[in-house]
Structure formats: C-alpha cells, structure tokens
Amino acid sequence: MGKIRLNNIRVHSNHGCLKEEMLIGSDYRVDLEVYTNLSKPSVSDKLSETVDYVHLNNIVKEEMAIRSNLLEHVAKRILDRVFIELTTVSKAEIEVAKINPPIGGDVQSVSVVLKAERPA
C-alpha cells in the first residue's frame, strides 16, 4: 500500500452561503491524499499502473468549479468522483480550505477534512 498526495491545489470559486461569496468568490486550497497499491508501478515505471495525479488534479478543479453552499458538500463530491473514476484507490482524505473567510475576524482559513474508504 502507498499513498499519493496533492498538496496546496489553489483555486478560486464561488462556494458559500453569503451573497458576496456567490458573486465575488473566494480563494481555496485543497489537499488530497489517496491510498493505493504502488508495488507494480514502483517496479514497472508505467503510468498506466498507478493513479495519475493529473487525473486527481482535474477532478478537484472540475468539482471546485461547481458552486456549493458548504465545503463539506464539495469535498464529498470530490471523494465520490475519485472512487468512481479511479478503481484502484482504496481510501482517500481531502481537506478543502477557504482562505480569508468572511467571518468577521482575522482568520487565515477555515477548512473541512473528510476521510472515506471505497464503498463495499
């Protein structure tokens, strides 16, 4: 078993419940970690035998472009697609962070972390 981690994927999107967030949008950071068997690709050196991190990045960017009220919702959509499209992933963890959230204080970010295992 091994893991592939994408760190600090930066996107701008319009998630949130406030009207300003829907119109102006905010900056987000996404970290995604997937667990898969890396024994074959570590020997074969073949991209076809591993989880392509370009594919993972595309899933994140595409789902982050679809507006949601809650970070929890967009994070779950990303995990759902990972399990649907990448059949060798056994479990995954995602963190979606809103940078400088509009919460009336000096807060660097707020984030949601979800963990999931491949459905049986």
Side-chain angles (χ1 to χ4, degrees):
M1 188 60 60
K3 61 183 167 183
I4 296 173
R5 183 182 302 156
L6 280 74
N7 297 309
N8 201 21
I9 303 167
R10 293 177 298 262
V11 296
H12 187 85
S13 194
N14 297 73
H15 306 298
C17 297
L18 300 176
K19 191 180 292 186
E20 296 82 17
E21 294 175 301
M22 294 177 202
L23 297 173
I24 299 169
S26 299
D27 292 322
Y28 293 85
R29 186 194 79 242
V30 179
D31 298 319
L32 177 63
E33 185 171 273
V34 300
Y35 292 80
T36 188
N37 187 337
L38 296 176
S39 60
K40 279 179 127 178
S42 67
V43 173
S44 73
D45 199 28
K46 293 181 181 176
L47 179 61
S48 63
E49 293 182 349
T50 191
V51 173
D52 186 352
Y53 51 79
V54 172
H55 190 161
L56 291 169
N57 188 55
N58 286 336
I59 290 171
V60 169
K61 290 190 310 184
E62 289 168 11
E63 291 301 322
M64 287 297 291
I66 301 168
R67 205 192 82 68
S68 289
N69 287 330
L70 302 177
L71 298 180
E72 294 89 329
H73 188 254
V74 70
K76 178 156 182 351
R77 284 199 330 260
I78 292 168
L79 289 181
D80 289 347
R81 274 196 59 194
V82 166
F83 288 121
I84 290 168
E85 296 180 21
L86 300 162
T87 58
T88 62
V89 172
S90 60
K91 61 183 178 176
E93 179 175 325
I94 187 164
E95 179 176 0
V96 179
K98 182 180 289 191
I99 310 302
N100 296 317
I103 60 174
D106 186 13
V107 178
Q108 180 180 358
S109 67
V110 296
S111 62
V112 167
V113 177
L114 292 181
K115 299 177 184 181
E117 293 190 24
R118 175 165 294 287

